[in-house]
Amino acid sequence: MSETIDYRPFAPPLPPRRARALPWATVAGGSLLTVAPFVATMPVLPPFGLLMLLAWRLLARFALRPWAAAPLGLFDDLVSGQPLGSAVLLWSLCFLAIEYVEQRLVFRDFWQDWLIAGGAIACALVGGRVLATPFAAQVDLAVALQIIVSVLLFPVATRLVASIDRKRGQA
């Protein structure tokens, strides 16, 4: 009979520094995924750094400080080639919007988290389009597909963050 619950009460937790650094490292790793050489006919690669950031914020509220969006956004700007400061601004606005929504909602479930993240992803990608490309550029279809792919991949990011957070332990 296989054990379905991973319950090990005497397993040592991660050291506190490593447990605190793990959310930062996963968001930075998600941002680094955008520089991997993927071959695509249309640029619909989702912003994995933003997905990981939102998943950490919505699943483990205190894993990242409220100001963490700014330095992580700066790292994403440096890696992705977006105009410097665009992800800093947009990711910080996403954090502020999530904070505002959390003050209004007493209880949340996964569907509400998915809806909140979908709105944040759409606002960040549309804001990035406004800041990075001229209005005459015909990229609206690509941005719409990128929003759809990103919103559909958000449950995968939350599953990954939940498994990392479970292994992170209570340090």
Side-chain angles (χ1 to χ4, degrees):
M1 184 171 153
S2 67
E3 192 72 26
T4 59
I5 298 175
D6 186 24
Y7 181 68
R8 294 173 291 166
F10 300 111
L14 287 175
R17 280 190 170 184
R18 193 178 307 167
R20 281 192 303 254
L22 202 54
W24 290 76
T26 56
V27 174
S31 293
L32 286 173
L33 272 177
T34 59
V35 297
F38 292 112
V39 177
T41 58
M42 193 172 222
V44 293
L45 189 65
F48 291 110
L50 178 63
L51 290 176
M52 296 300 288
L53 181 81
L54 292 174
W56 276 109
R57 177 61 182 87
L58 291 170
L59 285 181
R61 178 179 183 184
F62 299 110
L64 291 170
R65 304 281 181 165
W67 50 264
L72 289 169
L74 179 65
F75 179 78
D76 188 73
D77 283 337
L78 293 172
V79 170
S80 68
Q82 289 286 334
L84 198 59
S86 63
V88 175
L89 172 70
L90 296 170
W91 290 15
S92 297
L93 289 176
C94 288
F95 259 43
L96 290 173
I98 290 172
E99 188 68 32
Y100 179 75
V101 168
E102 277 188 344
Q103 288 178 359
R104 301 290 181 244
L105 294 176
V106 178
F107 299 106
R108 285 191 338 245
D109 63 351
F110 179 72
W111 297 103
Q112 290 169 327
D113 283 349
W114 200 358
L115 182 66
I116 293 166
I121 290 167
C123 289
L125 289 176
V126 168
R129 186 257 190 258
V130 168
L131 292 173
T133 59
F135 286 110
Q138 298 295 324
V139 295
D140 296 333
L141 178 64
V143 171
L145 287 175
Q146 190 178 20
I147 290 170
I148 292 169
V149 169
S150 300
V151 170
L152 291 177
L153 281 178
F154 181 72
V156 175
T158 56
R159 183 77 168 201
L160 179 65
V161 165
S163 68
I164 291 170
D165 193 35
R166 188 175 346 115
K167 290 182 174 128
R168 190 170 69 120
Q170 298 295 333

